[in-house]
């Protein structure tokens, strides 16, 4: 799905009304209901996981509305929360006067008052200070102040409100409020990706409508969105592709509906390919274990791990499902360069579908030479990660000199900086341009990891992934991703490789969220993410069927 600018989003709304007979009022109703559902689900989950047998206190919800359609979404959300949710105390604050509202926003303001909902009007500093005494005690804040029609930055009372909310939540890192959810876009964030000119609400979740907005994917302040939740509210998924002009694609569930995700009943292990993973070293055997398990759990028919002989017993004992092959090791316990010239190693490559290279290999010079030689000569599709990438630091143009037609590199910003010989901060300034230029320069697929992971193809395709969570900020997460990418490539091949790679990044992110369970994000470990990959794939199937 393509992301939309503000003008494109307005055009999409016009077409929805013209083609499908869905009025703007109905769209606002669906948007507000979607926001309320996110709040209600969060509220219900809080009670399920609290572990406290004492009665929970009422949850205080503050809905902050502007005078435009974004505020109208807030009025609808407040009405649904008041009507359906259990133990929620909803208070609504309007930045302006009721008489200033127009159109659908005015109508939904009227409907809110008809159900007995009070409105606290914010007209000046004094009224804001009085309201802030209440809002600062809220458990949940719904931000419906400014929408995609914003020109310039937030100013005046709204700017002050944004600053107060961010200060209270310590930029969404404090326990209170427990949830800040923005309607369509965090107030103050430009929708088209331009630089911000004022304060921006730091949300835990943003519920956006029809399609993601360009600024939510590429803005330097895109992290203000928190978790990005896209709701179609009556629009078919293909409408965004028709209206959007951006070269970017958002990795949403429908992007993967064309892949054969459901297995044939007459399948066998040979149907789904054979991954050869080369990784591990003395002290880093866990990286090979994590990648190998992820390969299996993502669906590879067979997985073989080739690892230094000194750590092979450790790797082999970790999981009975994958196979192992010993490689001669250096004195440091890493792969010896001479392995690449052996008859045994040549035979090892013969019946494999994809080669994953790098997790835990180490940076011994002899091992780095092994990596350079193997990438140059192997004809299999290659996933190159971690220490496999470090072997090319300062000599990345050697990536072009290879026999394989298909190479994917998976650097985090630091690894990309080493490949390019620049500072990590320079990579972060314009991640999309960096990834795309590297893909074209080295004729390789690039997965630039991090917040809003980018998948760039040498032909110019660019995918942006918004799944995942801070639980992935832990050692071993990249090793799991390497295994997932290899396992999916073994199954689906390279005919539509950018989509397959985007699927791998998507499932990795979904699994990170699914692995939370009763844990805070800080307590998730990479092995839990690997275990959750099948659950993530099943969740994807459910989402595709639900949206069909």
């Amino acid at each position: 799905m393509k992301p939309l600018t503000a003008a494109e989003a307005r055009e999409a709304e016009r077409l929805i009304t013209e083609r499908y007979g869905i009025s703007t009022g109905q769209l606002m109703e669906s948007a507000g209901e979607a926001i309320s559902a996110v709040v209600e689900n969060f509220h219900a989950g809080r009670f399920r996981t609290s572990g406290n047998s004492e009665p929970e206190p009422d949850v205080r919800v503050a809905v902050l509305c502007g005078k435009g359609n974004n505020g109208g979404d807030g009025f609808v959300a407040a009405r649904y929360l008041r009507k359906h949710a259990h133990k929620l105390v909803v208070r609504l604050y309007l930045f302006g006067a009721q008489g200033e509202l127009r159109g659908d926003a005015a109508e939904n303001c009227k409907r809110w008052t008809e159900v007995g909902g009070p409105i606290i009007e914010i007209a000046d500093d004094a009224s804001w200070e009085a309201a802030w005494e209440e809002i600062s005690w809220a458990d949940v804040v719904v931000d419906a102040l400014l929408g995609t029609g914003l020109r310039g930055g937030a100013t005046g009372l709204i700017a002050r409100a944004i600053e107060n909310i961010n200060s209270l939540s310590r930029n969404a890192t404090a326990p209170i409020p427990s949830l800040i959810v923005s309607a369509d876009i965090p107030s103050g964030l430009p929708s088209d990706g331009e630089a911000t000119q004022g304060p921006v609400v730091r949300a835990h979740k943003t519920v956006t409508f029809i399609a993601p907005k360009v600024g939510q994917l590429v803005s330097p302040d895109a992290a203000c969105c928190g978790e990005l939740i896209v709701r179609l509210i009556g629009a078919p998924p293909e409408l965004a592709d028709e209206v959007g002009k951006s070269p970017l694609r958002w990795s949403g569930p429908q992007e993967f509906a064309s892949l054969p995700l459901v297995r044939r009943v007459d399948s066998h292990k040979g149907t789904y390919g054979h991954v050869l993973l080369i990784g591990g070293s003395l002290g880093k055997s866990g990286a090979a274990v994590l990648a190998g398990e992820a390969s299996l759990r993502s669906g590879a028919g067979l997985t073989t791990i080739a690892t230094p002989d000194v750590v092979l017993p450790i790797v082999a004992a970790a999981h009975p499902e994958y196979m192992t092959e010993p490689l001669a090791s250096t004195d440091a316990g890493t792969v010896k360069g001479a392995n690449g010239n052996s008859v045994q190693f040549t035979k090892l490559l013969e019946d494999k579908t994809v080669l994953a290279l790098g997790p835990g290999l180490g940076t011994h010079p002899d091992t780095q030479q092994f990596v350079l030689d193997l990438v140059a000569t192997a004809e299999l599709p290659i996933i190159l990660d971690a220490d496999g990438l470090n072997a090319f630091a300062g000599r990345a143009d050697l990536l072009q000199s290879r026999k394989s037609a298909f190479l994917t590199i998976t650097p985090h910003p630091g690894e990309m900086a080493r490949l390019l010989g620049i500072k990590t901060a320079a990579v972060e300034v314009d991640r999309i341009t960096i990834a795309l230029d590297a893909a074209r320069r080295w004729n390789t697929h690039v997965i630039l990891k991090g917040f809003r992971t980018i998948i760039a193809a040498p032909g110019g395709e660019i995918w942006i992934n918004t799944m995942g969570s801070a639980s992935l900020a832990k050692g071993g997460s990249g090793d799991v991703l390497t295994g997932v990418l290899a396992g999916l490539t073994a199954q689906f091949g390279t005919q539509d490789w950018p989509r397959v790679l985007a699927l791998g990044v998507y499932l990795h992110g979904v699994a990170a969220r699914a692995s939370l369970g009763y844990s805070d994000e800080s307590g998730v470990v990479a092995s839990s993410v690997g275990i959750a990959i099948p659950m993530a794939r099943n969740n994807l199937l459910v989402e595709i069927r639900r949206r069909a």
Side-chain angles (χ1 to χ4, degrees):
M1 176 184 287
K2 289 186 177 181
L4 302 178
T5 63
E8 290 165 351
R10 289 193 295 271
E11 174 64 7
E13 289 182 10
R14 185 188 70 79
L15 291 174
I16 292 170
T17 298
E18 180 182 289
R19 292 179 184 177
Y20 310 109
I22 301 174
S23 69
T24 55
Q26 289 172 302
L27 288 174
M28 185 173 287
E29 188 76 8
S30 297
E33 185 178 9
I35 296 163
S36 72
V38 169
V39 175
E40 290 184 42
N41 289 339
F42 177 85
H43 159 66
R46 177 184 175 207
F47 280 104
R48 283 196 304 270
T49 61
S50 67
N52 187 358
S53 60
E54 296 295 322
E56 290 281 351
D58 291 340
V59 176
R60 296 157 296 192
V61 181
V63 182
L64 279 57
C65 296
K67 295 183 290 186
N69 285 339
N70 196 249
D73 296 340
F75 276 108
V76 176
R79 174 161 46 84
Y80 273 93
L81 288 168
R82 181 183 175 92
K83 179 179 179 181
H84 295 302
H86 174 62
K87 293 179 71 65
L88 293 185
V89 178
V90 182
R91 301 277 281 175
L92 191 144
Y93 305 84
L94 173 63
F95 282 68
Q98 296 177 54
E100 298 176 288
L101 301 177
R102 298 291 182 270
D104 296 325
E107 175 61 27
N108 280 297
C109 174
K110 179 182 176 183
R111 294 183 68 184
W112 167 251
T113 58
E114 287 174 348
V115 299
I119 297 176
I120 298 93
E121 294 184 352
I122 311 297
D124 51 32
D125 287 340
S127 57
W128 169 247
E129 288 175 7
W132 181 242
E133 287 293 321
E134 294 181 343
I135 296 168
S136 62
W137 287 94
D139 300 291
V140 177
V141 175
V142 176
D143 158 37
L145 292 168
L146 300 171
T148 58
L150 174 68
R151 296 292 178 268
T155 58
L157 283 173
I158 289 183
R160 182 179 175 188
I162 292 172
E163 290 169 344
N164 285 163
I165 292 167
N166 288 344
S167 177
L168 176 68
S169 71
R170 297 200 294 273
N171 290 328
T173 64
I176 301 295
S178 54
L179 176 66
I180 301 171
V181 57
S182 288
D184 204 16
I185 195 165
S187 292
L189 181 68
S191 59
D192 295 356
E194 63 270 36
T196 55
Q197 299 180 35
V200 181
V201 168
R202 269 278 191 177
H204 297 104
K205 299 175 187 286
T206 296
V207 188
T208 197
F209 311 116
I210 302 175
K213 310 307 180 286
V214 171
Q216 294 170 335
L217 302 185
V218 305
S219 169
D221 291 305
C224 289
C225 296
E227 177 188 350
L228 185 64
I229 301 167
V230 180
R231 293 291 179 258
L232 300 181
I233 62 169
E238 58 270 16
L239 184 63
D241 288 346
E242 175 187 340
V243 174
K245 301 298 187 293
S246 170
L248 308 177
R249 296 199 69 81
W250 171 65
S251 295
Q254 291 300 132
E255 294 296 312
F256 312 115
S258 62
L259 295 173
L261 297 170
V262 178
R263 296 195 159 193
R264 290 172 43 177
V265 295
D266 59 349
S267 299
H268 55 84
K269 63 186 178 185
T271 307
Y272 301 112
H274 192 160
V275 171
L276 174 60
L277 168 67
I278 302 178
S281 60
L282 198 61
K284 295 183 178 179
S285 56
V289 171
L290 288 168
E293 180 180 8
S295 171
L296 289 168
R297 291 190 180 275
S298 62
L302 294 165
T303 297
T304 295
I305 301 179
T307 193
D309 48 21
V310 294
V311 298
L312 186 139
I314 300 171
V315 174
H319 285 285
E321 296 89 354
Y322 51 59
M323 297 167 284
T324 54
E325 288 285 342
L327 299 176
S329 58
T330 65
D331 292 342
T334 65
V335 175
K336 184 177 289 188
N339 282 286
N341 300 320
S342 70
V343 174
Q344 178 186 0
F345 188 79
T346 301
K347 292 182 67 175
L348 183 60
L349 293 169
E350 285 178 357
D351 60 345
K352 304 305 184 294
T353 311
V354 57
L355 170 64
L357 180 62
L361 277 177
T363 56
H364 190 283
D366 204 23
T367 307
Q368 290 191 326
Q369 190 59 52
F370 167 81
V371 171
L372 295 172
D373 293 342
L374 183 54
V375 171
T377 57
E379 298 181 8
L380 295 170
I382 303 170
I383 310 292
L384 189 65
D385 181 37
D387 288 330
L389 291 171
N390 289 329
F392 287 88
R395 43 191 175 187
D397 285 343
L398 292 176
L399 291 168
Q400 302 174 78
S401 305
R402 63 180 197 271
K403 288 186 178 180
S404 176
F406 299 100
L407 171 66
T408 291
I409 63 173
T410 63
H412 57 59
E415 290 165 341
M416 179 61 89
R418 288 193 287 274
L419 289 173
L420 294 171
I422 60 177
K423 299 290 187 182
T424 301
V427 174
E428 296 285 41
V429 167
D430 190 352
R431 288 164 51 82
I432 290 176
T433 298
I434 288 286
L436 187 56
D437 285 353
R440 288 171 168 163
R441 175 178 170 182
W442 302 324
N443 190 31
T444 180
H445 294 75
V446 174
I447 297 176
L448 182 53
K449 296 183 289 195
F451 179 75
R452 300 288 190 260
T453 291
I454 296 161
I455 302 95
E461 295 174 84
I462 308 167
W463 301 63
I464 298 183
N465 179 72
T466 58
M467 297 305 292
S469 76
S471 60
L472 291 173
K474 193 163 290 186
S477 296
D479 304 318
V480 172
L481 177 60
T482 296
V484 172
L485 297 172
L488 294 176
T489 299
Q491 292 167 79
F492 301 132
T494 54
Q495 184 173 357
D496 194 3
W497 211 21
R499 192 179 306 275
V500 172
L501 298 172
L503 171 62
V505 177
Y506 175 89
L507 291 178
H508 188 243
V510 174
R513 293 181 182 176
S515 63
L516 284 171
Y518 290 94
S519 172
D520 174 76
E521 289 176 329
S522 63
V524 174
V525 294
S527 57
S528 299
V529 177
I531 290 170
I533 292 294
M535 186 189 308
R537 185 159 167 166
N538 184 66
N539 288 348
L540 172 61
L541 287 170
V542 170
E543 277 293 304
I544 291 173
R545 289 162 181 156
R546 185 177 67 83
R547 298 174 186 228

